[in-house]
Amino acid sequence: MSDTVVNRSAGTPPNGAEPTPGIKAIRLRHPWRNVFAVVLLLLVALFVIDAAQRPAYDWPSVGKFLFDQRISQAAFVTLQLTVYSMVIAIILGVTLAVMRLSPNPVVNSIAWIYLWVFRGTPVYVQLTFWGLVGTIYQTIDIGLPFTEPWASYPTRVAMSAFVLAIIGLALNEAAYMAEIVRAGLLAVDSGQEEAATALGMSWAQTMTRVVIPQSMRVIIPPAGNEVISMLKTTSLVTAIPFTLELYTRSRDISAVTFNPVPLLIVASIWYLFFTSILMVGQYFLEKRFARGIGDRRPDRKADEATGALTGIVPVVGGGQATVVLPPKMPENPPNNNNNNNGDVR
């Protein structure tokens, strides 16, 4: 049901027509909502006061290590892992999405098997496996199959722990990005592509000018969530093992100081800082690609004949818009004395 009460006040329309009721929406009061909000604020205040006085948090140590050089370098490494992994994951995810939409059964099946493997196994297990690649494959050989290799490099030398962390994170994330991109492409009506083809556009022009711009408003929200999730997933690269990222570095420092809680708070603050920046960027990207969709305002122009407001008027709390139709004109309107021909206006 609607959360508004409509108060109608009479108006004086021109040409002697019947008075048209004006519409004024009055929002209903909800005192229990205010009470609930006050209770929540009190709980938050109690938690903050308690945390400020609890010695286990050790806020002086938090301030001491927040901008420590080792922590700031680890935060930069975490950011590098996130950016490099997401760039590779997006490129590979778009390729896999196109393969999933391909009518070729072999190409489609290969993409499906990739998604099945990397979405069906935990990322920690995958990273542990990549840490053992040097044990499984001692050398990386370059050359033709079943012939002597042209060049051979030891795996542990050619692929550092940092490179293995990027590969493990990117391959896992590509499986999720593929489904996100595929959902965005399928969300665009097929008539858009048919219309672009009728205008003489090539396949590349259709994708870059018609399909992809419309699919971006569907792709960006979950893709932004995946970027934020990737930032936090970097804490699992210790399975490779890679120990220079933010969480593992703060854990190593806490193992020396025997005070883990402040270092966990320091790592959390840096994670929150990076995710806040990513969320702001996601907001502006969504706003950029959602122009003209879902932001139409109701038509509040007055009817020329009666002076009444017509159009779509949103109802607060109703979940839907209410269509307000203009009032009906009287069946037998009075004649205009100034009209010599007796015509009715």
Side-chain angles (χ1 to χ4, degrees):
M1 296 181 63
S2 172
D3 275 352
T4 58
V5 175
V6 178
N7 182 16
R8 300 178 180 271
S9 58
T12 306
N15 299 330
E18 294 183 356
T20 303
I23 298 177
K24 181 181 179 181
I26 302 175
R27 181 177 299 179
L28 293 177
R29 296 182 179 180
H30 299 277
W32 287 109
R33 293 182 183 178
N34 299 331
V35 172
F36 184 67
V38 171
V39 171
L40 289 179
L41 290 176
L42 290 176
L43 291 176
V44 172
L46 290 175
F47 174 79
V48 172
I49 294 173
D50 178 75
Q53 299 175 352
R54 196 167 292 272
Y57 289 110
D58 195 0
W59 295 108
S61 297
V62 173
K64 175 183 176 181
F65 289 102
L66 184 59
F67 297 104
D68 187 271
Q69 184 178 4
R70 294 168 295 179
I71 295 295
S72 59
Q73 290 177 351
F76 180 70
V77 172
T78 297
L79 197 60
Q80 284 182 309
L81 288 173
T82 304
V83 174
Y84 296 157
S85 300
M86 282 306 304
V87 169
I88 298 174
I90 290 173
I91 296 174
L92 185 57
V94 171
T95 304
L96 290 170
V98 174
M99 292 173 64
R100 286 281 285 125
L101 297 174
S102 173
N104 190 321
V106 176
V107 174
N108 190 302
S109 299
I110 292 175
W112 184 88
I113 292 174
Y114 180 95
L115 301 181
W116 173 60
V117 171
F118 283 92
R119 293 174 64 194
T121 54
V123 61
Y124 193 85
V125 175
Q126 297 175 25
L127 292 173
T128 305
F129 177 84
W130 283 105
L132 298 174
V133 164
T135 304
I136 302 173
Y137 303 97
Q138 287 78 18
T139 60
I140 299 177
D141 299 328
I142 301 176
L144 297 176
F146 309 107
T147 61
E148 289 294 328
W150 301 337
S152 181
Y153 304 96
T155 303
R156 296 186 180 274
V157 176
M159 303 178 69
S160 62
F162 181 75
V163 174
L164 290 174
I166 293 175
I167 293 175
L169 293 173
L171 293 181
N172 176 264
E173 184 60 34
Y176 296 93
M177 286 301 303
E179 291 298 279
I180 291 173
V181 173
R182 186 172 70 94
L185 295 177
L186 292 176
V188 180
D189 190 84
S190 59
Q192 300 289 323
E193 186 174 356
E194 295 173 358
T197 304
L199 293 175
M201 291 186 180
S202 62
W203 181 85
Q205 291 175 330
T206 301
M207 293 298 294
T208 56
R209 298 183 181 181
V210 179
V211 177
I212 293 179
Q214 295 185 58
S215 64
M216 289 300 289
R217 65 185 180 88
V218 180
I219 294 174
I220 286 178
N225 293 336
E226 290 298 319
V227 175
I228 295 175
S229 177
M230 172 63 71
L231 178 69
K232 296 178 290 185
T233 307
T234 56
S235 62
L236 299 179
V237 294
T238 182
I240 288 182
F242 182 74
T243 60
L244 297 180
E245 51 83 31
L246 181 57
Y247 168 71
T248 307
R249 194 63 175 146
S250 62
R251 187 187 63 183
D252 293 342
I253 296 175
S254 65
V256 177
T257 60
F258 299 101
N259 196 8
V261 176
L263 272 301
L264 289 175
I265 295 176
V266 168
S268 301
I269 292 174
W270 277 99
Y271 282 122
L272 287 172
F273 173 72
F274 288 139
T275 53
S276 300
I277 295 176
L278 293 174
M279 290 172 65
V280 172
Q282 178 183 349
Y283 168 77
F284 283 105
L285 281 177
E286 291 181 9
K287 186 177 180 180
R288 168 66 176 81
F289 286 98
R291 292 181 302 175
I293 299 175
D295 58 352
R296 297 183 178 88
R297 297 185 179 274
D299 183 10
R300 301 185 62 85
K301 295 181 180 179
D303 187 82
E304 295 181 357
T306 64
L309 293 175
T310 61
I312 306 294
V313 178
V315 178
V316 179
Q320 296 181 357
T322 302
V323 179
V324 181
L325 300 177
K328 295 182 179 180
M329 297 297 294
E331 297 181 358
N332 298 318
N335 294 334
N336 192 342
N337 296 331
N338 296 330
N339 189 355
N340 297 329
N341 297 328
D343 297 333
V344 177
R345 292 186 181 181

